[in-house]
């Protein structure tokens, strides 16, 4: 069975916009991953970035990444990269992640625990997007070579049906998106990390 080409799906969707600027409620895992995604999408959407990552185990790490997200958006807005990008800081809820991960502590990185983490963050994104009257919701997670873009899009599509909002399909690492995010991180001096933020991912890097 052929794998779905989510970049092609995104291209087709953008072609249908016809110059309109729908409201995209975009979950972001961190500033480096969002850098290319925002540069790419700000031509097509009014974007609200939703920084919601209860998987980050250390509060100081969470706050550092949140501050970098804010700093990048402020820089983009000063430079006039598309329409002004809004930012909403989600609640820091590590307890929700710990409860979700209960029983999956020894699950290999990239397995079921990660899939449930995707769902936790995307479901909160969908809920908030509906509350704010957004037209689409999406995530920057698919830019990472370490994240399962197929699973992320499957979960996003399921949630879209359940919440009555359109999902933005993506595989942002395509067309050298990840490479561009590294370049932009260097250009803006962004703090880059080598693990997703959860205690299990950090241990796997040791």
């Amino acid at each position: 069975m052929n794998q779905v080409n989510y970049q092609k799906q995104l291209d087709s969707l953008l072609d249908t916009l016809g110059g309109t600027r729908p409201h995209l409620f975009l979950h972001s895992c961190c500033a480096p991953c969002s850098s290319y995604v925002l540069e790419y999408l700000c031509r097509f959407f009014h974007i609200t970035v939703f920084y919601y990552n209860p998987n980050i185990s250390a509060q100081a790490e969470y706050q550092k990444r949140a501050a970098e997200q804010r700093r990048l958006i402020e820089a983009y807005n000063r430079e006039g990269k598309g329409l002004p990008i809004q930012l909403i800081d989600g609640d820091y809820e590590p307890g929700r992640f710990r409860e979700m991960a209960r029983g999956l502590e020894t699950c290999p990185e990239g397995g079921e625990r990660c899939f449930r983490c995707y769902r936790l963050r995307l479901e909160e994104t969908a809920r908030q997007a509906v509350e704010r009257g957004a037209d689409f919701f999406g995530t920057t997670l698919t830019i990472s070579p370490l994240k399962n873009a197929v699973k992320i899009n499957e979960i996003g599509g399921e949630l879209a049906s359940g919440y009555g909002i359109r999902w933005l399909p993506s595989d942002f690492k395509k067309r050298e998106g990840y490479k561009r995010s590294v370049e932009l991180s260097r250009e803006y001096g962004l703090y880059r990390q080598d693990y997703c933020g959860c205690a299990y991912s950090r241990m796997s890097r040791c």
Side-chain angles (χ1 to χ4, degrees):
M1 185 172 65
N2 292 331
Q3 187 171 339
V4 177
N5 187 326
Y6 293 105
Q7 178 62 54
K8 186 174 289 187
Q9 285 192 2
L10 177 57
D11 289 340
S12 296
L13 187 154
L14 296 178
D15 285 343
T16 68
L17 297 182
T20 63
R21 292 286 188 105
H23 180 194
L24 169 63
F25 200 76
L26 180 69
H27 166 262
S28 176
C29 53
C30 63
C33 287
S34 73
S35 60
Y36 164 74
V37 177
L38 293 174
E39 180 184 67
Y40 175 25
L41 295 180
C42 66
R43 297 169 289 158
F44 303 101
F45 296 97
H46 293 272
I47 300 176
T48 299
V49 170
F50 182 48
Y51 183 81
Y52 178 71
N53 299 290
N55 57 303
I56 300 176
S57 56
Q59 187 170 11
E61 179 73 14
Y62 182 93
Q63 291 174 340
K64 186 172 185 177
R65 297 188 193 192
E68 287 293 87
Q69 181 70 82
R70 192 174 304 111
R71 185 169 71 84
L72 176 67
I73 290 174
E74 288 172 353
Y76 274 17
N77 285 340
R78 282 196 305 271
E79 294 167 7
K81 291 196 174 186
L83 296 172
I85 300 164
Q86 306 298 316
L87 173 64
I88 293 177
D89 283 315
D91 293 333
Y92 180 46
E93 302 176 311
R96 287 189 70 184
F97 174 79
R98 289 194 296 270
E99 182 60 30
M100 176 227 77
R102 193 183 305 277
L104 298 171
E105 292 86 354
T106 61
C107 184
E109 189 72 5
E112 182 61 29
R113 186 182 62 243
C114 293
F115 297 163
R116 293 192 188 184
C117 181
Y118 302 158
R119 183 176 293 275
L120 173 63
R121 290 186 276 177
L122 291 180
E123 183 154 19
E124 183 64 16
T125 304
R127 187 183 71 79
Q128 296 265 355
V130 170
E131 280 189 5
R132 288 167 170 75
D135 301 295
F136 291 86
F137 78 107
T139 182
T140 65
L141 285 168
T142 63
I143 199 170
S144 171
L146 300 176
K147 299 293 188 293
N148 188 322
V150 173
K151 195 67 180 179
I152 291 167
N153 280 283
E154 287 177 354
I155 293 169
E158 291 171 12
L159 293 171
S161 297
Y163 281 86
I165 185 172
R166 296 182 70 182
W167 165 251
L168 190 78
S170 70
D171 193 352
F172 291 120
K173 62 182 159 289
K174 300 293 188 182
R175 296 180 183 167
E176 299 193 326
Y178 178 73
K179 178 182 177 183
R180 178 60 179 157
S181 76
V182 173
E183 293 171 351
L184 286 165
S185 295
R186 188 178 302 117
E187 179 181 336
Y188 288 92
L190 298 176
Y191 164 64
R192 291 183 65 86
Q193 56 287 327
D194 62 358
Y195 72 108
C196 76
C198 79
Y200 311 108
S201 175
R202 184 174 57 194
M203 286 188 293
S204 75
R205 297 289 186 269
C206 297

